[in-house]
Amino acid sequence: MPQMAATTVLDENPLEKTLSVPQKWPASFIHDTHSELKIQRRIAVPLVAMNLTWFAKLAITTAFLGRLGELQLAGGTLGFTFANVTGFSVLNGLCAAMEPICGQAYGAKNFKLLHKTLLMATILLLVTTLPISFLWLNVHKLLIHFGQREEIAIIAKKYLFYLLPDLVITSFLSPLKSYLSSQSETVPIMLSSVVAVALHVPVNLLLSKAKGIEGVSMAIWITDLVVVILLGLYVSITEICSKGGRWKEGGWLEQGARDWINLLKLSGPCCLTTCLEWWCIEILVLLTGRLTDARQAVGVLAIVLNFDYLLYSVMLSLSTCASIRVSNLLGENQPGRAYMSGNVSLVLSIVSGCIGGSVMVGAKGVWGPLFSHDRGITRGVKKTMLIMALVEVVNFPVTVCGGIVRGTARPWLAMYANLGGFYLLALPLGVVLAFKVRLGLGGLLGGFLVGMVGCLVLLLVFVARINWDEEARKAQILSCKVEETVDEDGDNKNCAIT
């Protein structure tokens, strides 16, 4: 926590007079809602474009792997899946803790906390890359132990070995993105991502011809490095040229034990929330591989999930936008507006989910033939997309509710909901329906749908029970705007204005 020039202790909470969530809609509700929608659109649209470029990069990488041959495609895909599950999901999950801290700090105009959180998150991710690297270097032993063919496992290891630099690059890239997005600066993230994807094709053409699968792997971190350089330059220039001279405030090296405790206390649940969601999808794919018609079922699911990934880019952007707005407004000590912003985000997610589900239903006849001409697979895609359309309707508000609770610096609520909905309900029920009742892939997805509904119910209860006045008070403490003191009875009633 930065040093205080002076501290004044009050007997009454100085926030009580300013914190009040309106009990009825104000007369300007329509105007306020329209203004909030405009703000969220300005934040979310560049994020959607940025996330779509990530999936475009993945598609380009897969295409170049396919050009190298069936073995390289299988090994590279397996390697990248392993990298997502054990590496990138962990790093991105840990970095998600920056959203509430930086968002609330920006709302409170505490730029020192912004600076040192960026540095601390980068250090945390760099340290985390060490055990992940060790795991990647021994990936072939793990894959062979769990039944993968040796030649595929060796290709996967080679792919991951040349992907190792991306762990270090991601340790800088993810914090930079969170640092900027928490300040609603999403256009630079979008533009740098577009430049990187534009370079991804020529870089792949050059390196895949020269080094084969090693070159395809190297192309991933090279294009990510381009984004890091562009964003790093942007942050440096904007900090130096800012009107308030924010870079002069420093704070980069002023981390204390309390700062690290706050970051670690949030990074753990954020990481588990992200990993539980990513891992559930991978478990679903693995279970599909154990069905009677496994080859066809896996093909159908892979095609359907490609459509799901496109929609996920939208819902992830809405979730990040909700987290940014809620955290910023709580940091500004405006619980009423934070409450309204959360409701606007939730309604927007429901509408978007209905639109996304409708688009999936409309595309069920044309999506399958884009990937396969096998009649069994195309028929399976048509049926499966009907179930997945219902999943998407629920998944949108689930993801956005996760962003809302993350913005209040309580990500463990989303972690509990994911654990209960996915692992205590979705997977057990899906296994029963698929293997005991013999409904196959439809049973697995049916269980997944029920679990998703359970997850949504839990999150809606959590969001409905949020005390926005209390969250705004906590935000002032987290953002170091006020310091909480304890009275003789042990009650946290007094606040010190900094």
Side-chain angles (χ1 to χ4, degrees):
M1 181 174 175
Q3 294 295 323
M4 312 301 177
T7 302
T8 304
V9 179
L10 306 180
D11 291 332
E12 295 183 2
N13 189 336
L15 306 176
E16 287 179 354
K17 295 180 180 180
T18 59
L19 301 183
S20 58
V21 176
Q23 299 302 315
K24 59 181 180 179
W25 297 118
S28 60
F29 169 69
I30 295 178
H31 177 267
D32 291 343
T33 302
H34 183 257
S35 299
E36 181 64 28
L37 282 171
K38 288 175 64 177
I39 294 173
Q40 294 200 18
R41 180 185 64 185
R42 179 173 56 84
I43 297 172
V45 170
L47 288 176
V48 172
M50 181 269 291
N51 287 321
L52 285 175
T53 60
W54 189 89
F55 292 116
K57 188 176 77 171
L58 178 60
I60 293 169
T61 300
T62 304
F64 276 94
L65 285 173
R67 287 161 57 99
L68 295 176
E70 185 177 346
L71 179 61
Q72 286 77 7
L73 176 61
T77 302
L78 182 61
F80 192 75
T81 300
F82 189 86
N84 273 333
V85 171
T86 62
F88 299 125
S89 63
V90 175
L91 296 180
N92 283 286
L94 289 172
C95 192
M98 285 186 66
E99 287 184 20
I101 298 177
C102 289
Q104 293 182 11
Y106 180 72
K109 304 305 178 187
N110 187 342
F111 299 115
K112 284 187 177 181
L113 183 57
L114 270 170
H115 294 161
K116 62 185 176 183
T117 302
L118 173 60
L119 181 59
M120 287 191 299
T122 303
I123 294 172
L124 176 62
L125 265 58
L126 286 172
V127 171
T128 307
T129 60
L130 296 177
I132 295 174
S133 300
F134 177 78
L135 188 64
W136 284 16
L137 291 174
N138 293 278
V139 62
H140 64 295
K141 298 177 182 178
L142 291 172
L143 294 177
I144 294 173
H145 178 74
F146 286 102
Q148 289 293 334
R149 289 164 51 191
E150 184 175 355
E151 60 269 27
I152 295 179
I154 292 174
I155 293 293
K157 180 187 177 180
K158 184 183 297 185
Y159 183 86
L160 285 175
F161 179 79
Y162 284 89
L163 192 64
L164 280 173
D166 206 32
L167 289 175
V168 176
I169 293 169
T170 302
S171 298
F172 290 94
L173 178 58
S174 292
L176 282 171
K177 286 182 177 179
S178 295
Y179 177 79
L180 288 171
S181 62
S182 66
Q183 303 173 62
S184 302
E185 293 281 348
T186 54
V187 173
I189 302 174
M190 176 193 70
L191 294 177
S192 60
S193 299
V194 170
V195 171
V197 168
L199 292 173
H200 197 55
V201 173
V203 171
N204 265 290
L205 282 171
L206 179 64
L207 292 179
S208 62
K209 288 183 179 180
K211 298 184 69 67
I213 191 171
E214 297 95 329
V216 175
S217 182
M218 292 170 62
I220 295 175
W221 62 260
I222 289 174
T223 50
D224 282 346
L225 181 60
V226 171
V227 181
V228 169
I229 293 172
L230 292 175
L231 290 183
L233 288 173
Y234 177 81
V235 169
S236 300
I237 293 171
T238 53
E239 288 286 330
I240 294 173
C241 298
S242 60
K243 292 182 180 179
R246 283 163 38 178
W247 66 277
K248 296 179 181 178
E249 296 188 21
W252 303 94
L253 302 176
E254 295 180 7
Q255 302 95 351
R258 177 180 173 183
D259 299 311
W260 279 104
I261 290 172
N262 286 338
L263 180 63
L264 294 175
K265 187 167 64 175
L266 292 174
S267 61
C270 283
C271 181
L272 280 174
T273 300
T274 302
C275 290
L276 287 173
E277 186 175 351
W278 288 31
W279 294 346
C280 187
I281 297 296
E282 299 302 330
I283 293 173
L284 183 66
V285 175
L286 292 175
L287 290 173
T288 304
R290 292 183 173 273
L291 295 173
T292 305
D293 54 343
R295 180 175 296 183
Q296 179 176 306
V298 170
V300 168
L301 184 62
I303 293 172
V304 173
L305 286 179
N306 272 293
F307 199 100
D308 173 74
Y309 294 151
L310 294 175
L311 295 180
Y312 187 70
S313 67
V314 179
M315 67 181 77
L316 183 61
S317 303
L318 294 177
S319 173
T320 303
C321 180
S323 176
I324 292 168
R325 288 297 296 154
V326 168
S327 60
N328 283 172
L329 291 169
L330 290 177
E332 291 175 15
N333 191 18
Q334 298 191 50
R337 287 190 61 192
Y339 169 76
M340 183 200 69
S341 178
N343 284 329
V344 169
S345 297
L346 186 55
V347 172
L348 186 61
S349 71
I350 294 172
V351 174
S352 300
C354 293
I355 294 174
S358 300
V359 171
M360 181 170 273
V361 171
K364 64 182 175 64
V366 298
W367 189 251
L370 292 177
F371 297 86
S372 174
H373 298 293
D374 184 281
R375 290 186 178 181
I377 290 180
T378 54
R379 283 197 301 267
V381 169
K382 284 185 179 180
K383 294 178 181 179
T384 304
M385 287 184 76
L386 292 175
I387 303 175
M388 281 300 295
L390 295 175
V391 173
E392 303 302 347
V393 172
V394 181
N395 200 12
F396 268 83
V398 164
T399 308
V400 169
C401 282
I404 293 173
V405 298
R406 191 167 64 249
T408 63
R410 295 200 297 175
W412 49 84
L413 296 179
M415 180 188 71
Y416 295 149
N418 282 358
L419 186 62
F422 292 141
Y423 291 85
L424 300 183
L425 188 57
L427 291 177
L429 182 59
V431 169
V432 171
L433 292 176
F435 297 100
K436 298 295 182 181
V437 186
R438 298 187 181 279
L439 294 179
L441 180 58
L444 283 175
L445 293 178
F448 196 71
L449 174 61
V450 173
M452 190 74 74
V453 172
C455 186
L456 177 60
V457 171
L458 287 173
L459 282 170
L460 288 175
V461 171
F462 292 151
V463 171
R465 292 175 61 86
I466 290 176
N467 184 329
W468 293 94
D469 288 355
E470 178 67 14
E471 294 306 321
R473 184 186 69 81
K474 292 178 180 178
Q476 305 310 297
I477 297 170
L478 180 65
S479 61
C480 301
K481 192 173 182 179
V482 301
E483 183 176 0
E484 193 172 38
T485 61
V486 182
D487 61 14
E488 294 179 358
D489 297 327
D491 297 326
N492 298 330
K493 293 183 178 179
N494 300 333
C495 289
I497 308 299
T498 62

